[in-house]
Amino acid sequence: MTETLIRETSYAPTVVKLGGSCLDDMSEEWWDDLAEHGRNNPLVLVHGWSKPLRELNPRYTQPSAILRDRYGNQSRWTTPEVIADIKTVSEGVGRIVTERLSRRGITVERVVGSDGLVRAGEGERWWWQGKQLVELENLVGPITEVTPARLTNLQPGHCYLVTPLARNAAGQEVNTDADRAAAAIAGASAATSLTLVTDVEHLLIDGEPVRRISADAAADFRDRGATGGMRKKLRAAGEALERGVQRVVIGSAPVSRLLAESTGTVITRS
C-alpha cells in the first residue's frame, strides 16, 4: 500500500522514540540534556508502552498476548480493552515526561496519534495459534498517512509527546509499532534525524558494537540475524531513511551525544 506522508511544517523537529522499557532508568542528567536540546529545537517524543503495560496486568506477560502472522512478524493481540489499557499507561508516561521536562522549562503537549495525526491501513487477519493459522480480529494496522499539521506548535521550548495509536478507514483505533510510528512522523515532519533511545548502547553484529552502518547492510543483518526489538528498530530505521530522513541513531546515551555521533549506532542511506 502506498503511503501518503504530508509535509506541511517548515520547522523541522528533533524526533525521539523513547522506549517504554527504559523510561524508569533515565537519569536526571539525561533529562537535563534533553531539555537543553529542546530549548533550541522543537521536540517530538514518541513513547513506547510495553513495560508499563506488563506492569499494569500480568496477562500482558503471557505468551498468548503476542501473535505471530503468516510472515513471522510479531504483534500484540489488541482488542478494545487493550487499547483502553494502552491509554491508561500512556497517561502515566505523560505525567512522568511532563513533570521532568516542565520543571526544566519545556512545555509538553500530549497527542494521541489516533486524534488526527496517524492513519492506518487494513491489518493482517491471519495469525498463528499453536500450529494453525486462524482468522482473528487484531486491532493493529500499518501506518498509511501522517498529518504533521496536527503538530501546530513546532517551536523551541515546546515538546509534543505522541502516543502511537492510529485510526483506520473504519474509524477504529488501532495499535501501531512505536519505532515505525516515530519513523513515519520523522519523515512526514521533514526531520533530518531520528533518534531511537533504547536500553542498549549499540547495534551488535557477531557480538561486536557497530558505530556506523549503511541502510542496505542494516537491512541485510535485520533479515539474517537480528531478533526481537532490534529487528523492529532496524525496520523502522530503513523506513525513516526511505521517507527522507538523513540518518537514524540507535543507543542509550543522552540525545545530544547520540546526535553528535559520539556514541550509539548511526544508520545512513549510504
Side-chain angles (χ1 to χ4, degrees), residues 65-268:
I66 302 297
L67 296 174
R68 183 168 54 87
D69 70 16
R70 51 186 163 171
Y71 307 107
N73 300 309
Q74 289 188 341
S75 171
R76 182 172 299 284
W77 191 353
T78 306
T79 64
E81 292 74 22
V82 175
I83 294 287
D85 284 347
I86 287 172
K87 288 185 171 182
T88 295
V89 299
S90 295
E91 289 175 0
V93 171
R95 286 191 293 269
I96 293 171
V97 173
T98 298
E99 188 277 329
R100 294 181 183 179
L101 287 181
S102 61
R103 62 185 168 90
R104 291 171 167 87
I106 305 296
T107 60
V108 179
E109 182 177 348
R110 289 192 61 221
V111 176
V112 179
S114 52
D115 291 342
L117 178 63
V118 184
R119 300 283 294 183
E122 185 176 354
E124 179 64 43
R125 296 195 63 85
W126 291 90
W127 303 89
W128 287 101
Q129 281 196 328
K131 297 183 178 180
Q132 287 188 318
L133 271 175
V134 297
E135 189 173 13
L136 295 172
E137 182 176 20
N138 188 21
L139 293 177
V140 299
I143 295 172
T144 56
E145 182 178 341
V146 172
T147 307
R150 174 66 179 82
L151 308 177
T152 58
N153 189 23
L154 287 175
Q155 299 293 329
H158 187 81
C159 172
Y160 284 101
L161 178 64
V162 178
T163 297
L165 295 173
R167 198 167 296 277
N168 64 18
Q172 297 170 302
E173 283 187 292
V174 299
N175 189 359
T176 67
D177 177 71
D179 292 308
R180 298 177 71 189
I185 291 168
S189 59
T192 58
S193 299
L194 169 64
T195 305
L196 303 177
V197 177
T198 184
D199 54 3
V200 297
E201 294 183 2
H202 304 88
L203 168 67
L204 297 176
I205 297 182
D206 298 328
E208 295 296 323
V210 177
R211 294 297 303 273
R212 198 172 191 92
I213 190 171
S214 70
D216 288 345
D220 177 68
F221 174 67
R222 177 197 69 206
D223 293 338
R224 68 177 174 83
T227 59
M230 186 56 71
R231 181 181 174 88
K232 288 186 176 182
K233 284 174 174 53
L234 293 177
R235 186 176 185 183
E239 292 173 350
L241 295 170
E242 289 172 357
R243 295 181 176 104
V245 175
Q246 295 178 12
R247 61 175 179 167
V248 178
V249 190
I250 301 174
S252 61
V255 168
S256 66
R257 291 189 59 208
L258 293 170
L259 292 174
E261 302 183 10
S262 62
T263 187
T265 297
V266 181
I267 305 174
T268 60

